[in-house]
Amino acid sequence: MNQNPIIHVEDLAIGYDDNTIMKNLTFDVQKGDIFIIMGGSGCGKSTLLRTLTGLIPPQNGQIYIQGVEMGEATNSQRLEIMKHMGILYQSGALFSSMTLGENVALPLQQYTKYTQNKIRDIVAFKLALVGLAGFENYYPSEISGGMRKRAGLARALALDPEIVYFDEPSAGLDPISSKNLDDLILQINKSLGTTIIVVTHELPSLFAIGKNSIFLDKTIQTISAKGNPKELLKNPPNKQVYEFLTRGASHEKRTK
């Protein structure tokens, strides 16, 4: 096991104002992981993701990203780390008034000194990488929901991030589009070595792509299981994990 995880979380508490949703969260994400944050609805999965990405502050504890404790980082350190992170939101979060090419180009224009020709080449490459070659001049309203997710992923990959966060990537997708997105996540992880963190309660997806995971248990407000989802299915450590993952096994059988 790598002794220097790309992300180390220690005794983390998350929530909003005085409302604590999860506490005593301690876990590691290794470089090259596809790491699943799973649990039932309302357990705090998306809140944890927002805390990891710096969108909301932790209530307690530490988050180390590439060895830097984010609470103690300078603004320049934090910005440099965040430049090496990408996020795919549930809806894709594309700017509707901009073409797909303009959406993908935006982070390159803001955070690099590349020429317009270089940016155009990178945009074409990133869109091709997610199966959208030739769609540079399309607007988000002109493509399907699955294509918008892939375009959002192309934008998340624009700066060649070492870590990419996915917030419920399968939400709103039909089963075929969801499987195609899972396949794309596996491809990016394998070909680019990108560390991927996925928030999901979609059981077929987490079994298909997950290498490691944590289970957020809202009954005890903390992590009640860690490990490969398939291994947790074979040897569930508690009733909550068993009920969550056996529904997934039944679903997989019905959909094969």
Side-chain angles (χ1 to χ4, degrees):
M1 181 68 69
N2 187 345
Q3 296 301 309
N4 297 298
I6 194 166
I7 297 175
H8 172 66
V9 174
E10 183 73 31
D11 197 27
L12 188 70
I14 61 172
Y16 301 93
D17 299 323
D18 295 329
N19 179 30
T20 298
I21 298 173
M22 284 278 148
K23 57 189 176 182
N24 303 322
L25 304 180
T26 297
F27 61 90
D28 290 339
V29 179
Q30 303 296 334
K31 184 175 176 59
D33 259 354
I34 300 180
F35 188 92
I36 307 295
I37 300 172
M38 61 182 179
S41 297
C43 70
K45 299 185 300 294
S46 292
T47 301
L48 177 55
L49 185 78
R50 294 186 187 104
T51 307
L52 291 175
T53 56
L55 294 176
I56 61 175
Q59 292 183 332
N60 188 57
Q62 295 82 41
I63 300 170
Y64 295 85
I65 298 180
Q66 297 178 322
V68 177
E69 205 288 295
M70 296 303 286
E72 298 177 353
T74 64
N75 288 337
S76 60
Q77 285 178 314
R78 192 175 295 109
L79 178 60
E80 190 60 30
I81 289 170
M82 292 182 73
K83 283 166 61 177
H84 294 280
M85 294 163 32
I87 305 175
L88 177 62
Y89 298 97
Q90 286 189 32
S91 64
L94 298 170
F95 292 103
S96 60
S97 62
M98 301 169 68
T99 65
L100 303 191
E102 290 168 340
N103 268 280
V104 179
L106 187 60
L108 294 162
Q109 293 166 342
Q110 289 187 326
Y111 297 113
T112 75
K113 296 181 180 179
Y114 293 148
T115 65
Q116 286 303 308
N117 286 340
K118 175 72 171 177
I119 289 175
R120 187 164 54 248
D121 290 343
I122 293 173
V123 167
F125 173 72
K126 298 300 181 182
L127 286 172
L129 185 66
V130 301
L132 291 174
F135 280 80
E136 287 88 341
N137 294 322
Y138 282 70
Y139 286 89
S141 61
E142 298 175 319
I143 59 176
S144 69
M147 294 170 76
R148 284 194 291 273
K149 289 282 182 82
R150 284 187 278 147
L153 179 55
R155 186 179 62 187
L157 295 171
L159 295 173
D160 297 320
E162 296 184 44
I163 305 168
V164 178
Y165 299 89
F166 291 76
D167 187 10
E168 299 284 5
S170 299
L173 298 183
D174 63 82
I176 294 175
S177 296
S178 179
K179 183 184 182 303
N180 289 340
L181 186 57
D182 287 343
D183 291 342
L184 182 57
I185 289 171
L186 289 168
Q187 174 191 333
I188 289 167
N189 174 254
K190 182 177 180 179
S191 61
L192 303 179
T194 308
T195 302
I196 292 172
I197 299 173
V198 182
V199 164
T200 186
H201 63 266
E202 297 288 341
L203 297 162
S205 290
L206 69 87
F207 284 124
I209 67 176
K211 295 181 180 180
N212 203 356
S213 71
I214 55 174
F215 181 83
L216 301 184
D217 188 336
K218 64 181 178 181
T219 62
I220 58 174
Q221 289 188 290
T222 194
I223 296 168
S224 68
K226 300 178 183 179
N228 184 293
K230 292 179 181 177
E231 293 301 317
L232 293 176
L233 175 61
K234 291 179 183 177
N235 299 291
N238 55 60
K239 178 183 177 182
Q240 286 74 23
V241 172
Y242 173 79
E243 290 181 346
F244 186 85
L245 294 179
T246 51
R247 286 199 301 273
S250 299
H251 180 81
E252 280 193 322
K253 290 176 182 177
R254 289 198 302 269
T255 55
K256 284 182 179 178

